[in-house]
C-alpha cells in the first residue's frame, strides 16, 4: 500500500496538467492519502499528501481549499519533521494567505519560515529563495514598495548564486520585479528584468502579460512621429496581451484568478481600440473569476471595476454604471492606503462622471 500510494503521487506529478483539466486529481490524491495511512506509516507522512493536494488547489486558483490542506498539514508537524519540509509548508501557506489578502498572517508565517531556516543553517538555500520571493511580493502589497523591490532583488541574486533554483521561480521573480519597477516609473530596469524573465520562461503567461503592459507604457518622446510610435507600441502591447491570454487559457483552468486578471488587461486593450462589446465581455470574465477567488472587496478587483465602469460611462450604459459604481466605491474604500492619492483621484473622477 505504501509503495502504491507513492506511485500514485508520482503519477499525479507527471500527469498534473491533464488531471487539472479533467478534475480527477482530488480523487487520485485522496486515494493516495488513504492508502498511505492504511499502510500504518507515521501520520506525519501525511504532510506530503496534504501539500500535493494544496498544490493542486493552488494550480486551479482555489486558495480556500489549498489553505484547508496546508492548515491540516501544519497541525501534523512534529519535532522530527525535516526543517526543509516544514519551511516549504510554511512558504506555501504564506503564498496562499497572501493571495487571500491576509497579509498580516502571511507576514507572520514567512517570519516563522525564515527563523526555521536560519536556525538549521539553511539561510542560503533554495527554500530561502522562495521565502524571499514571497516576502518581496507581500511587502509590495503592504505598501512597503522599496523594501519589496530590494527583497526580490536579493532573492534573484541568491537564486542565481545557488544555480540550483527553479528557472520557473526565478523567472516569476524577475517578472514581478519588472512589473514593480514599471509601476515606479523605472522603465529601463523594468525592461531589463522582463526580458531576462522572457529568456527563462518564453511561454509563461505572466511574463507575456507584464511585457504587454510594459510596451503599452513606454513613451515615444524621442521619436519624430509620436502618434505613429504610440500606435505601434499599443499594437505590440496588444499582441503580447493576446498571447498572454491564449497561454493562460491553455495553462490554467477556467475561472482561475490569474486568467481573470489577464482577461481584465485584455479588456483594457479592447477599450482603447473602441471595441466595447469585447471589452465588457472580458471585464465580466475578470470580475466573475476574481470575485469567486477573493470576494467582492479585494484590491485586485479595483482595476477591472474601474475599467468596466469607464466602458459603461462611454457607452451610456446606466444599468451597468449603477451596479459598478457602488461596488468600486466599497472596494476602493477598503484599500485607501495601498492605492495612494493618485489612484483614488482617478477613481473619484470616474465615479463622478
Amino acid at each position: 500500500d505504501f509503495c502504491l500510494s507513492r506511485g500514485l503521487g508520482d503519477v499525479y506529478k507527471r500527469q498534473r496538467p491533464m488531471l487539472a483539466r479533467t478534475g480527477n486529481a482530488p480523487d487520485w490524491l485522496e486515494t493516495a492519502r488513504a492508502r498511505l495511512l492504511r499502510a500504518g506509516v507515521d501520520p506525519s507522512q501525511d504532510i506530503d499528501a496534504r501539500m500535493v493536494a494544496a498544490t493542486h488547489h493552488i494550480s486551479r486558483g482555489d486558495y480556500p481549499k489549498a489553505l484547508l490542506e496546508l492548515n491540516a498539514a501544519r497541525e501534523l508537524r512534529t519535532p522530527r519533521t525535516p526543517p526543509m519540509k516544514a519551511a516549504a509548508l510554511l512558504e506555501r501557506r504564506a503564498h496562499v494567505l497572501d493571495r487571500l489578502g491576509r497579509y498580516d498572517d502571511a507576514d507572520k508565517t514567512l517570519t516563522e519560515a525564515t527563523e526555521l531556516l536560519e536556525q538549521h543553517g539553511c539561510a542560503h538555500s533554495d527554500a530561502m529563495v522562495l521565502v524571499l520571493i514571497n516576502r518581496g511580493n507581500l511587502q509590495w502589497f503592504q505598501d512597503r514598495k522599496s523594501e519589496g523591490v530590494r527583497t526580490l532583488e536579493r532573492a534573484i541574486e541568491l537564486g542565481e548564486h545557488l544555480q540550483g533554483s527553479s528557472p520557473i521561480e526565478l523567472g516569476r521573480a524577475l517578472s514581478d520585479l519588472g512589473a514593480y519597477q514599471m509601476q515606479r516609473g523605472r522603465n529601463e530596469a523594468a525592461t531589463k528584468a522582463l526580458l531576462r524573465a522572457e529568456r527563462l520562461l518564453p511561454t509563461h503567461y505572466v511574463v507575456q502579460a507584464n511585457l504587454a503592459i510594459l510596451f503599452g507604457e513606454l513613451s515615444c518622446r524621442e521619436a519624430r512621429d509620436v502618434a505613429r510610435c504610440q500606435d505601434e507600441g499599443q499594437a505590440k502591447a496588444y499582441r503580447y496581451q493576446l498571447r498572454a491570454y491564449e497561454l493562460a487559457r491553455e495553462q490554467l483552468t477556467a475561472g482561475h484568478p490569474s486568467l481573470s486578471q489577464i482577461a481584465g488587461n485584455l479588456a483594457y486593450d479592447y477599450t482603447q481600440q473602441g471595441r466595447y462589446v469585447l471589452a465588457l465581455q472580458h471585464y465580466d470574465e475578470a470580475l466573475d473569476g476574481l470575485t469567486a477567488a477573493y470576494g467582492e472587496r479585494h484590491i485586485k478587483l479595483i482595476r477591472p471595476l474601474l475599467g468596466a465602469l469607464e466602458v459603461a460611462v462611454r457607452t451610456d450604459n446606466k444599468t451597468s454604471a449603477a451596479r459598478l459604481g457602488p461596488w468600486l466605491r466599497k472596494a476602493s474604500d477598503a484599500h485607501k492606503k495601498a492605492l495612494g492619492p493618485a489612484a483614488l483621484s482617478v477613481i473619484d473622477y470616474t465615479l463622478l462622471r
Side-chain angles (χ1 to χ4, degrees), residues 95 98-99 130 132-138 140-141 145 148-149 151-153 155-156 168-184 189-190 193-194 197-198 201 204-207 210-211 258 261 300:
H95 171 78
D98 184 352
R99 290 297 186 272
L130 295 178
L132 288 171
I133 291 172
N134 272 291
R135 186 173 289 286
N137 285 318
L138 176 62
W140 180 269
F141 284 108
K145 293 181 169 48
V149 167
T151 303
L152 277 176
E153 289 173 338
I156 293 163
I168 295 177
E169 298 300 340
L170 281 178
R172 288 291 297 270
L174 282 162
S175 181
D176 291 338
L177 177 62
Y180 299 155
Q181 294 286 36
M182 184 169 33
Q183 291 182 49
R184 301 170 85 202
L194 287 170
E198 188 179 30
L201 303 174
H204 200 289
Y205 60 91
V206 172
V207 178
N210 283 334
L211 281 167
S258 293
Q261 201 162 351
K300 290 187 177 180

Side-chain angles (χ1 to χ4, degrees), residues 280 284 287 305 308-313 315-328:
L280 280 176
D284 285 344
L287 291 170
L305 278 170
L309 182 58
E310 176 68 24
V311 173
V313 170
T315 58
D316 198 30
N317 188 330
K318 293 182 174 59
T319 301
S320 291
R323 177 178 66 91
L324 294 165
W327 186 0
L328 175 60

Side-chain angles (χ1 to χ4, degrees), residues 19 40 73 92 96 99 104 106 124 129-130 162 179 204 209 222-223 227 235 245 252 264 269-270 288 301 330 341:
L19 291 171
R92 284 292 83 191
V96 170
R99 290 297 186 272
D104 290 342
H124 296 85
V129 172
L130 295 178
L162 293 171
H204 200 289
E222 297 179 2
Y245 183 68
L252 302 172
D269 286 339
Y270 285 134
D288 288 346
L301 273 81
K330 289 178 182 177

Side-chain angles (χ1 to χ4, degrees), residues 83-108:
M84 296 295 278
K85 179 186 291 188
L89 164 61
L90 293 169
E91 181 271 326
R92 284 292 83 191
R93 184 171 184 271
H95 171 78
V96 170
L97 289 167
D98 184 352
R99 290 297 186 272
L100 291 171
R102 293 172 55 180
Y103 299 139
D104 290 342
D105 291 336
D107 200 359
K108 292 176 185 175

